[in-house]
Amino acid sequence: MAITNNAQQADTGTKMIHLGKNTRSTIISKGISAGRADNTYRGLVKVMPKAEGARNFTQCDSLLIGDKCGAHTVPYIESRNPSARVEHEATTSKISDDQLFYCMQRGLSAEDAVGVIVNGFCKEVMKNLPMEFAVEAQKLIGISLEGSVG
Amino acid sequence: MPDGLAKAPPFEDLIAAARARAGSGRLADLNARAGARYAEAGWPHARTESWKYTNLNALAAGAFALAEAGSAAVPEDKILGFDAPRVVLVNGILAPELSNLDTLPDGVSLTGLSHAGVTEHAVLESLLSEQSSTDGLPLAALNAATLSDALILDIAPGATPAVPVHVVSLTATENAATAPRLLIRAGADSFADVVESHVSAGAEVYFSNVVSQVTVAKGARLGHYRLQNEAAGAFHIALTSAEVAEGAVYDNFVLSIGARLARNEIRGEITGPRVEYRINGAYMAFGRQHLDNTTFIDHAAAGSRSREVYKGVLAGASRGVFQGKILVRPDAQQTDGFQMNRAMLMSDRAEIDSKPELEIYADDVRCSHGATVGELEEDHLFYLQARGIDRDTARRLLVSAYIDEAIDEIYAEPVREAMKRAAESWLARNLSGDAA
Amino acid sequence: MSLLKIENLHAEVGGKEILKGIDLEMGAGEVHAIMGPNGSGKSTLSYVLAGRDGYDVTEGSVTFQGKNLLELEADERANEGLFLAFQYPVEIPGVAGMTFLRESYNAKLRYRGEPEADAMQFLKMVRAKAKTLNMNDDMLKRPVNVGFSGGEKKRNEILQMAVLEPSLAILDETDSGLDIDALKLVSDGVNALRSEGRSMLIITHYQRLLNHIQPDYVHVLAHGRIQRSGGKELALELEANGYADFAEEAA
């Protein structure tokens, strides 16, 4: 999960190298850009020749908040084993005005609304974190996105 | 400027030879200016991101020489087979006697540097004004620095030629370095198809450096299709750069099956709304072939769609590369971009490197890309075998269906059928008895 | 003092004037129905009251519980006690219904300077209310409105209303897209929430909802103005004659 706001520039990513037989990996990247920030996800999935039956699934989702930020996903997929199955998907979305208004009409301030929606966006990743981390992460999301709306 | 560690770029001898041949005048100017840009751009090296997966050392080490115009027999079994008037290039130079210049369809006109009856001035002016978009790229600059001929294919505004135009590019001289250069201009509201076949007419080892520049004016619809079926020892580096205006449709497909090392690079700029920009392709390799497909789509305007479907089959110890970048600029709201790359490895010595890239600055867009790498499903194979089909035939049938899905993206029907036949015959030749 | 007083309200959307001088007064505990032909400004009125961006008030005033409503942000209006049941409730992926409800509920408490709710008590309270609307635990765990049918979305809106206990509830075409059974379920839910401390503004095109939720007053909104007001018989009259009488814009 990577969050950028204001004028931050982030270039973060993952490296997954499959060496042995029947190995499985899943990468879920959630990138959130706000303000005038740029968020780049750079990921490498490499399947070596002996990695018989390797399986990888990578999901890169970007959320753009506002129209002055950018999201950049650069996945490198290198496979040298024919029985490996490597899949990659990427989507881009934004927080719709309708969603923001709905949350505000239910009493949430604009910033709280963004926090709630972003947490929903990151749910897939957050639900796999131990509880203490998840709580911290939620707080950090709120702090990172301060000033991103309005 | 290239960093101090780089050696002098290769092919300076070719550039010098081209300048000597051109003498003085506008062609010589064009060659000289491009030569300077080539030196400035610098030859791609190991850390040049765009060439990360394609090493050009073997090409740089080759001993090639500029080739003159020549004559050759068109190898009918290698080019795309369908009925259409031809424009034939031999070693990058127009061969009128092999072409059907008198029977080009209505609305289509051809101007060339070496073709009699054309003002060199007008053509070169066109070329010079068009070339700025491509010369930052070293290989494209090399093309402009070494060419002695160029073709401009104009489709008049509103024209709807009844048949496609088939540009057949032949290399007939051993160790030739050729620079086929094509400008295709589709006038507003026209509807036409241009097909290119790149094959050998006798040469085994050569370097074909192709640049096709395309402009599709407002409301026009252009089909632009290519078969790359060069000789097994050839190097084929091709750049297609397309600029597509408001409301236009650009339907591009490249089938790559030949060459020792080939790069199919397509750079497109969408400059207006309601554009449908399609670049699809298939690549099939065996032995130690290296096939690189690198595309870049620039959504520079709002409200347009792009679609890219590439499928690869890699047998033997071949290597496939797919680099697809989609850029959505800050004002390009309502962009709808779809990209899919799939590669099938047929042996454990084959390799695929894939880098589907998204760079998005607008928040109201839909952009998705996906890449999958895998092999034939054992279940599917078994099903066919259980119906009495032997394993080899079953494999060919399944791979054929897999590639046909990409070929089905082609809008122009006769071209689609011709491409399928070309893919079929590759499979029949190269996929029999190739153990996984 | 009336709960809601709208005076000469003019509003425009995208530069076009939709509300052309609305006057309306609602007392506590009253149920008012606003009916009118499509395009008359019914939904616009609900968005203007709820404070949606893009809906600009050009003239007039709205007083809610003695306060100037138009000065408040959308979330402040909600925390003051205004609730809008949307005609097309939006989806919020990844955010469980229960979580969303708790956030809203606590936002109101914080606004009033009160401590946040105890999680267990809150859960029990919501479950009980959900049950009366035929909603099970599973629906509360699913992300807000994601994959919900039309009827489920409307029931979810009423559940939120039941939990947040607004003093003014605006129901924007709550009956649209509902079959008879769903309509009955939703209407029963709404009726159960009628009380002296709560007023409702029911916006509807069709009269049939008003068979189930009987209004105290009915107003006809056409061409951006309230053209006629009356008791609940006015609704029956409209059912018989349609909106033909209001087709021409009054001078």
Side-chain angles (χ1 to χ4, degrees), chain A residues 98-106, chain C residues 86 145 157 160:
Chain A
D98 287 346
Q99 280 173 328
L100 261 179
F101 180 59
Y102 188 76
C103 292
M104 285 180 77
Q105 208 300 300
R106 296 295 184 257
Chain C
F86 287 76
N145 294 325
E157 293 294 281
Q160 291 181 12

Side-chain angles (χ1 to χ4, degrees), chain A residues 96-99 101-110 112 116-117 119-121 123, chain C residues 50 52 74-75 78-79 82-84 86 90-91 93-95 104 107 110 145 157 160:
Chain A
S96 73
D97 291 332
D98 287 346
Q99 280 173 328
F101 180 59
Y102 188 76
C103 292
M104 285 180 77
Q105 208 300 300
R106 296 295 184 257
L108 302 173
S109 68
D112 284 344
V116 162
I117 293 168
N119 268 290
F121 174 73
K123 187 66 170 290
Chain C
R52 189 181 183 144
D75 55 315
N79 291 325
L82 190 151
F83 180 91
L84 170 62
F86 287 76
V90 96
E91 293 181 5
V95 181
S104 304
R110 279 198 306 271
N145 294 325
E157 293 294 281
Q160 291 181 12

Side-chain angles (χ1 to χ4, degrees), chain C residues 163-195:
Chain C
V163 169
L164 295 175
E165 298 179 313
S167 32
L168 172 63
I170 305 171
L171 278 58
D172 189 359
E173 310 237 20
T174 295
D175 55 332
S176 79
L178 295 184
D179 62 31
I180 299 283
D181 293 324
L183 184 62
K184 184 125 201 329
L185 200 57
V186 166
S187 302
D188 287 347
V190 172
N191 280 329
L193 293 169
R194 289 173 84 139
S195 76

